[in-house]
């Protein structure tokens, strides 16, 4: 049986990897267009929130058993 943890783990990893990619993009944009860099930084913040939610819900799922 596939558990919520099984589904969340790869999604957390993908979210973490995307956040790292956005960090590099924001860094590159910083010298070209500060507004664009700020937008990417806000996207990173939202992505971090999604990663945190995936982590928190995993802990909640484990408590149910």
């Amino acid at each position: 049986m596939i558990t919520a943890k099984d589904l969340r783990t790869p999604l957390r990893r993908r979210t973490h990897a995307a956040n790292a990619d956005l960090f590099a993009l924001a860094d590159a944009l910083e010298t070209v267009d500060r507004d664009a860099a700020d937008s990417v930084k806000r996207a990173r913040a939202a992505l971090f929130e999604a990663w945190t939610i995936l982590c928190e819900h995993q802990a909640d799922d484990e408590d149910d058993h």
Side-chain angles (χ1 to χ4, degrees):
M1 181 172 82
I2 296 176
T3 65
K5 179 181 177 184
D6 295 333
L7 296 173
R8 291 179 192 284
T9 299
L11 292 173
R12 280 196 337 265
R13 289 179 183 147
R14 286 178 63 188
T15 303
H16 187 270
N19 199 9
D21 288 343
L22 287 178
F23 179 81
L25 178 59
D27 192 43
L29 286 169
E30 193 69 39
T31 58
V32 176
D33 190 313
R34 187 171 301 267
D35 290 336
D38 289 343
S39 293
V40 172
K41 289 175 186 177
R42 286 191 300 274
R44 284 189 66 227
L47 197 57
F48 179 76
E49 182 180 356
W51 178 81
T52 302
I53 290 167
L54 287 169
C55 289
E56 289 174 354
H57 285 288
Q58 177 182 353
D60 292 343
D61 291 340
E62 291 173 359
D63 291 341
D64 291 341
H65 299 287

